[in-house]
Each structure stands twice: as C-alpha cells, then as structure tokens.
Amino acid sequence: MNCTACGKEIYPGSRFCSNCGQAVVAQPFQPVKSRLYRPRNGRMIAGVCAGFSQAYGWDIVPVRILLAVFVFLGCGTPILAYIIAWIVMPDEPYFIPAQPYTHPVAQPAPPSSQQPST
Ligand SMILES: [Zn+2]
C-alpha cells in the first residue's frame, strides 16, 4: 500500500507515512499481524522462528524450544521444514519504524525551570 499524499510505500502497520507524515487510512482487508517474513534483527539461524513469532505475536523463546524439541524428535523432518520456510519466507523489507513525525527544524528547548503548582 502507498501513501495517499506522497505515493511512497508505507510499511503495513504504520499509522503515519514515514516520508510526509500523512495519517494512514486503516485498511481492514490487510491484516497486519499475518505478514510472514524473516526479520533482519534477532535471527538465530535464518530468522524463521523470529518471523513466525513476530507474525503471530508469539514469544520467541518457546518457539525456538519447540523447534529444537521437534528437531530432536523428528529426526530431520523439522530441519527440512525449516529450510523450506527459509526459502519461502521473504526477508523483512527495509523500512523506517513508525514513529511520530518530527520536523527537521531545531525545536527550542522547553524551559527547565518549572513553576510550582500551588
Ligand atoms: Zn506520504
């Protein structure tokens, strides 16, 4: 999806355009959490576990423990599934994390002396 104001691509889940600050209109047919990709940070091997845990809101630690248990019990089949997921899941797209738009002009520092509230 692209920004309605400047046309720049907006990362799914962002509430504001990272380029111009335009508020993003919510699109109900584009669920944010279901996007599956391998994050660039927090990978242990290829980021498959991290991708699943991020996409579905799971904790990363039990996902990795479960995979390790499955690898131990499955005698190689989970490793094959992991490699398939590695191939199928795309890399995380580069994006600027959604954050409040700050104007590039230097802002005056707020006064440090606070008035006593009486
Ligand atoms: Zn924009």
Side-chain angles (χ1 to χ4, degrees), residues 3 5-8 17 19-22:
C3 175
C6 69
K8 195 182 177 183
C17 173
N19 189 43
C20 69
Q22 171 78 23

Side-chain angles (χ1 to χ4, degrees), residues 1-89:
M1 89 188 246
N2 293 320
C3 175
T4 54
C6 69
K8 195 182 177 183
E9 188 175 354
I10 297 170
Y11 180 74
S14 299
R15 297 181 64 189
F16 298 96
C17 173
S18 61
N19 189 43
C20 69
Q22 171 78 23
V24 174
V25 179
Q27 294 190 345
F29 294 107
Q30 210 171 22
V32 173
K33 288 282 182 182
S34 68
R35 181 156 183 178
L36 202 57
Y37 55 76
R38 292 182 287 115
R40 296 184 185 278
N41 298 319
R43 290 181 182 182
M44 188 160 280
I45 300 170
V48 173
C49 289
F52 273 104
S53 63
Q54 277 193 6
Y56 297 105
W58 301 336
D59 208 29
I60 181 69
V61 176
V63 172
R64 281 179 174 148
I65 290 172
L66 266 176
L67 180 74
V69 169
F70 285 149
V71 167
F72 183 74
L73 296 175
C75 299
T77 308
I79 296 174
L80 187 67
Y82 187 94
I83 292 171
I84 290 170
W86 186 346
I87 295 165
V88 170
M89 286 168 70

